[in-house]
Amino acid sequence: TATAFDSLSPERIAMQRICEFNTLVAGGEAKVAEVVQVKMSDSCAAFMRDDLVEAKKQMDLYDKAKLDLRSAIDKQSVAESTYKKAAAKDKAYYQDKLKESNEQLESCRDRFADIASETDLKLKIVSDKASAISLEWMILYMEAYLDHFQTCHTWMYGLMTSEKITKWREHVDSTNESILTQSSLVGGPSKKIFGKTLDDLADLEGITHRNPRVPDVLKRIIEHLETSHLDLEGIFRVSGRKNDLDDLRRRLDRGEEVEYSTISDPHVISGILKLYLRELSEPLLTFRLYDEFIMCNSLDKSVRTEKIRQVILKLPGVNRITFEAIAMLCHKIHKNQGVNKMNSSNLGIVFAPGCLYPKVEDAGALEKSLEANALISYIFEFADQIFGNTGSPANSAGLRSAQTRGNTTGLQAGGSWTEHTTTDGHKYWYNAKTKLSTWENPNVSPAGSGSTAPTPARPVARGGAQNANSFSHSPNKRTTMAVPPRKRQPEKRQGQFGGSAIRSGPGPSNSANQLRPTPPAKHGAQGGGGGPRSQGGAPPLPALPDAKT
């Protein structure tokens, strides 16, 4: 088989042809310069020797005639002044002198006019000739290059239409087919996932931007850790054996479906997730949003969660959903820190290098890494609020947990509802007859005959405690009447990997897991406080239930 170093290999022959062409091009350009120089040298030399010299002589004549004219004008002026001052007996003498000076002045004027006209004509001729010579040079230059390019085109066209090129193309096609065949047998580069972008992994698994999800490779790792190793001491902090990590990496790069329950050291499984994130060519939270994420650290806790949610919404779909899955896993690990010895601060230090770092590092790299650690730690600690996993209305980012669509008759009954607005721009409705408030418009038609009208949020009675536990949690029925408090049943999180708990952009929901806009919730146990406030003199707001701790 011919190699690139064989004298008969296609690569060697093609390189020889390219060298021949480069030689042709270089020789043609040298010839262009020579032709232009030879053809133009005589014209330029004659122009400078004859025309420019004549023009210089004419300019000298013009300058001399101009000086003579000025001298004659001065003499005539003196003669005229002397004649006026002369005594009567000398008038005749000075009158002859004045007449003589006038005749001399007229002669100088006529001569200057003739020389000026001739000079103007000669200079125009020289200028036109210079223009013609310049344009002729440009035309010759372009004609020479045209001939050169035609020669090159003829040579290259002959090569590209030859049988040799046809054989080379066939060789390339057969070689590419062979590469694909070999790659499919040994798990070639097309299946590698480490050291690339998350989009590359999504493309490999056929994930589209319209229907994003957590890539299966990462989903299976996260699910296994969440199911079996939340109690693992030092999870993500302790590294597995390097040989075991390298072996698992090679298996994943070959596209193998790994059975993680057969791996004896669970730290290898957590380590491979950490290794994948750190080797991404772009961080999970993207270079583009780095500054916006870091800025959240400087905000007060009462608004930080809301701002983080808003920035997360700007992430590409696959990045957003994957980060949510990792954040919720780390949140559960954090809640179990009494056993696994890993709190959100430890997890932030572990994950920040793979999730959030700038494109270009500068002198403040250490300080920026600490900022990234702090932000990731905060997100992990409050992931249930950030991603709407509390079952209660979310904060003023305008996002909330999914609610079951059901009967709205209860809210529509008992008088008309009037629309009001909070100080931060959120709308709510109040019924003066029943003394109830709700976040959603109860005047819409009830769902039933194929309608998908939204289910109103839980109202609260005027003057009553704003506590979501005071109302029924039946998924298919809402009531406007306050009932005795009962223990609240936390809503079950739907589909952690099937779709994001937050969504962006207009349009109807494609999944029950996606969220719908709602006014903000309190920060509850985190002590942030918050939520919308009614304007002065406005009716009371609907309930804002506390977030789970």
Side-chain angles (χ1 to χ4, degrees):
T1 304
T3 68
F5 300 99
D6 293 335
S7 60
L8 298 180
S9 68
E11 299 92 333
R12 184 68 173 268
I13 298 173
M15 183 58 68
Q16 290 175 350
R17 295 294 179 270
I18 291 174
C19 290
E20 291 174 10
F21 181 72
N22 287 340
T23 302
L24 177 67
V25 170
E29 290 181 347
K31 187 177 180 180
V32 167
E34 181 181 358
V35 168
V36 171
Q37 183 176 1
V38 169
K39 288 187 176 181
M40 294 304 300
S41 59
D42 292 342
S43 298
C44 291
F47 176 75
M48 290 185 290
R49 182 182 64 248
D50 301 330
D51 298 278
L52 290 184
V53 171
E54 288 296 322
K56 178 65 171 61
K57 289 180 179 180
Q58 188 64 37
M59 285 298 300
D60 291 342
L61 290 175
Y62 175 81
D63 292 339
K64 187 177 182 306
K66 185 167 64 173
L67 289 174
D68 291 344
L69 177 61
R70 286 179 178 174
S71 176
I73 292 173
D74 293 340
K75 288 180 179 180
Q76 193 273 344
S77 178
V78 171
E80 185 176 354
S81 176
T82 303
Y83 172 76
K84 290 180 179 179
K85 294 178 181 179
K89 63 179 181 176
D90 298 325
K91 286 288 186 180
Y93 174 78
Y94 286 107
Q95 186 176 9
D96 293 338
K97 291 289 185 181
L98 179 60
K99 182 178 179 181
E100 182 181 346
S101 65
N102 285 335
E103 291 175 352
Q104 188 177 0
L105 176 60
E106 289 300 323
S107 176
C108 288
R109 280 177 176 168
D110 293 340
R111 184 169 180 272
F112 176 78
D114 293 338
I115 292 177
S117 177
E118 185 178 353
T119 301
D120 182 64
L121 181 59
K122 283 192 174 183
L123 290 179
K124 185 177 185 306
I125 292 173
V126 170
S127 176
D128 291 345
K129 194 168 185 178
S131 176
I133 290 174
S134 300
L135 186 57
E136 182 184 9
W137 179 86
M138 293 182 221
I139 293 172
L140 285 174
Y141 179 84
M142 290 185 284
E143 286 178 342
Y145 260 109
L146 176 61
D147 293 339
H148 170 54
F149 289 148
Q150 286 177 340
T151 301
C152 293
H153 176 268
T154 301
W155 189 96
M156 186 59 72
Y157 183 79
L159 175 63
M160 297 305 293
T161 56
S162 66
E163 184 179 355
K164 188 178 296 295
I165 285 292
T166 303
K167 291 182 178 180
W168 289 353
R169 294 185 191 278
E170 293 173 353
H171 175 75
V172 170
D173 293 340
S174 62
T175 302
N176 286 336
E177 290 179 4
S178 176
I179 291 172
L180 290 176
T181 302
Q182 295 175 55
S183 298
S184 64
L185 294 176
V186 299
S190 61
K191 293 185 178 181
K192 286 188 177 181
I193 64 172
F194 286 86
K196 298 189 175 183
T197 66
L198 190 61
D199 280 343
D200 292 329
L201 178 56
D203 292 341
L204 188 64
E205 296 191 9
I207 301 173
T208 65
H209 291 291
R210 294 178 62 86
N211 297 294
R213 58 178 173 81
V214 179
D216 291 338
V217 173
L218 304 180
K219 173 184 174 183
R220 295 183 67 248
I221 295 174
I222 296 171
E223 285 183 338
H224 178 78
L225 294 174
E226 184 174 337
T227 303
S228 306
H229 301 298
L230 291 180
D231 295 338
L232 179 64
E233 184 171 339
I235 182 173
F236 289 119
R237 184 183 71 241
V238 178
S239 300
R241 291 178 64 249
K242 185 178 185 305
N243 289 343
D244 294 338
L245 276 171
D246 290 343
D247 178 65
L248 181 55
R249 172 179 176 157
R250 283 191 294 268
R251 294 173 65 187
L252 292 174
D253 269 341
R254 288 197 299 266
E256 291 186 24
E257 187 168 326
V258 179
E259 182 54 59
Y260 294 104
S261 60
T262 63
I263 297 178
S264 59
D265 184 3
H267 290 297
V268 173
I269 304 172
S270 61
I272 203 68
L273 176 61
K274 184 169 62 175
L275 180 64
Y276 173 79
L277 293 175
R278 290 193 176 187
E279 291 198 3
L280 285 173
S281 58
E282 181 176 14
L284 186 61
L285 299 184
T286 72
F287 292 126
R288 177 175 59 88
L289 297 177
Y290 172 81
D291 291 333
E292 291 192 52
F293 274 114
I294 293 299
M295 186 191 68
C296 295
N297 278 334
S298 62
L299 301 176
D300 186 81
K301 287 186 177 181
S302 61
V303 296
R304 188 185 306 169
T305 299
E306 170 188 350
K307 180 59 179 177
I308 290 174
R309 288 166 64 91
Q310 292 175 353
V311 180
I312 288 175
L313 279 174
K314 299 179 182 180
L315 287 169
V318 177
N319 295 59
R320 186 176 68 246
I321 298 173
T322 301
F323 181 63
E324 176 188 354
I326 293 172
M328 292 307 302
L329 169 65
C330 291
H331 177 71
K332 293 174 183 178
I333 293 172
H334 164 75
K335 290 176 67 176
N336 206 28
Q337 60 182 284
V339 178
N340 56 45
K341 312 300 182 187
M342 289 294 289
N343 57 23
S344 61
S345 179
N346 301 138
L347 294 167
I349 294 173
V350 169
F351 278 94
C355 293
L356 188 63
Y357 55 86
K359 192 168 187 177
V360 179
E361 294 188 350
D362 51 25
L366 177 60
E367 182 179 352
K368 289 182 177 180
S369 67
L370 296 177
E371 289 279 341
N373 295 349
L375 180 79
I376 298 299
S377 173
Y378 182 89
I379 293 175
F380 288 171
E381 183 175 356
F382 301 107
D384 55 345
Q385 297 179 40
I386 293 172
F387 295 100
N389 196 31
T390 62
S392 61
N395 56 23
S396 57
L399 309 167
R400 82 167 86 134
S401 300
Q403 295 179 343
T404 306
R405 305 184 186 279
N407 188 356
T408 62
T409 305
L411 282 175
Q412 290 175 331
S416 61
W417 295 77
T418 55
E419 180 181 320
H420 302 273
T421 306
T422 65
T423 56
D424 51 359
H426 293 286
K427 294 181 179 180
Y428 67 100
W429 283 261
Y430 174 69
N431 191 314
K433 182 176 181 180
T434 60
K435 311 300 182 185
L436 299 175
S437 302
T438 179
W439 287 118
E440 294 192 29
N441 186 358
N443 298 316
V444 297
S445 300
S449 57
S451 171
T452 57
T455 303
R458 302 179 185 91
V460 63
R462 174 188 280 270
Q466 290 192 352
N467 187 343
N469 298 336
S470 300
F471 301 94
S472 170
H473 284 251
S474 171
N476 295 319
K477 185 176 181 180
R478 305 292 184 195
T479 175
T480 60
M481 299 299 294
V483 296
R486 68 178 185 179
K487 185 176 180 180
R488 178 179 177 182
Q489 300 297 323
E491 295 184 20
K492 189 174 181 181
R493 179 159 179 82
Q494 302 182 15
Q496 181 176 339
F497 300 104
S500 175
I502 56 179
R503 64 180 290 223
S504 62
S509 172
N510 294 327
S511 168
N513 302 327
Q514 293 174 318
L515 306 181
R516 293 179 289 138
T518 192
K522 294 181 180 178
H523 289 279
Q526 281 67 41
R533 298 179 179 178
S534 59
Q535 299 178 356
L541 299 179
L544 291 174
D546 292 334
K548 290 197 297 186
T549 59

